[in-house]
Amino acid sequence: SLVLVDEFGKGTFAFDGCALLGCMITSMDNLGRRCPRAIFSTHFHELFVERIIAETDIVKFYRMSILENKHPEGKKKFEEDIVFLYKIEEGVCLHSYGINCARRLGLSAEVLSRAEVILQHLSEGSAVQPVDNSSQAMKARQIRMFDLFSKSQTDIAAVKELKETILENP
């Protein structure tokens, strides 16, 4: 048998999803030779950092290979450029490259900048400052939302009409 599990726990709270996946893998490992072949992909780095699961004769860790181009000192991890090599290698990836992927997909500088600020606060365990929710700020954000994918989406007539409607209705 072959078991494929992609992004287990999507939609769950991080802790319960991580706990469930860790126990599921451990239970399968306990089956020994009766364990089916299985491939899991997950974003639960805690499984490896906290050593919730360990490599055994049956459980092996692999990751997608990447090439990192590190910037000069003082730059944050999420500011690194990466190249996906589309090659599997032994080991565990303990980093998330979500912001880098979002940048490649063309998300606006404003969205990426806010994501980097939030990531920095979450990484440090500090409070995240809320955004300005005044009506003017909200209207400005609504208009900028149309430019979220400015590199990959053209401005069609319906989008122009919607922008005008927002501008006309305070």
Side-chain angles (χ1 to χ4, degrees):
S1 296
L2 175 64
V3 177
L4 299 173
V5 180
D6 184 32
E7 291 298 334
F8 180 92
K10 189 171 186 146
T12 65
F13 184 61
F15 296 132
D16 62 346
C18 184
L20 287 166
L21 182 58
C23 290
M24 191 168 112
I25 292 172
T26 301
S27 293
M28 290 179 74
D29 185 38
N30 289 338
L31 292 173
R33 299 186 87 170
R34 296 175 305 148
C35 179
R37 292 194 179 261
I39 298 174
F40 295 88
S41 87
T42 183
H43 58 276
F44 292 131
H45 302 136
E46 299 84 1
L47 287 171
F48 313 105
V49 172
E50 302 295 331
R51 301 191 191 286
I52 294 169
I53 59 174
E55 280 194 282
T56 66
D57 289 342
I58 294 173
V59 177
K60 302 292 181 202
F61 300 140
Y62 293 89
R63 65 180 178 210
M64 294 301 295
S65 183
I66 61 167
L67 177 64
E68 293 179 284
N69 298 316
K70 301 203 183 242
H71 290 276
E73 289 300 315
K75 296 288 185 175
K76 308 285 187 261
K77 187 78 179 165
F78 47 75
E79 292 174 320
E80 294 177 2
D81 292 326
I82 61 169
V83 176
F84 295 100
L85 300 177
Y86 301 100
K87 180 179 165 187
I88 296 175
E89 64 184 11
E90 287 188 42
V92 174
C93 178
L94 298 178
H95 304 289
S96 174
Y97 298 101
I99 292 176
N100 186 287
C101 291
R103 183 176 287 113
R104 289 169 182 254
L105 289 172
L107 265 69
S108 72
E110 179 184 16
V111 169
L112 294 168
S113 177
R114 178 68 178 157
E116 289 171 345
V117 168
I118 292 171
L119 176 60
Q120 187 68 39
H121 283 285
L122 293 174
S123 298
E124 296 169 353
S126 61
V128 178
Q129 296 299 316
V131 295
D132 179 7
N133 283 326
S134 67
S135 61
Q136 279 301 98
M138 294 278 286
K139 184 186 280 191
R141 278 199 303 277
Q142 282 179 322
I143 293 167
R144 286 192 302 269
M145 287 295 288
F146 293 110
D147 298 323
L148 255 174
F149 297 98
S150 59
K151 294 180 183 177
S152 62
Q153 191 176 45
T154 58
D155 200 6
I156 56 174
V159 172
K160 286 181 184 177
E161 185 178 326
L162 200 48
K163 277 184 182 180
E164 290 168 7
T165 302
I166 290 171
L167 288 172
E168 291 170 4
N169 299 312

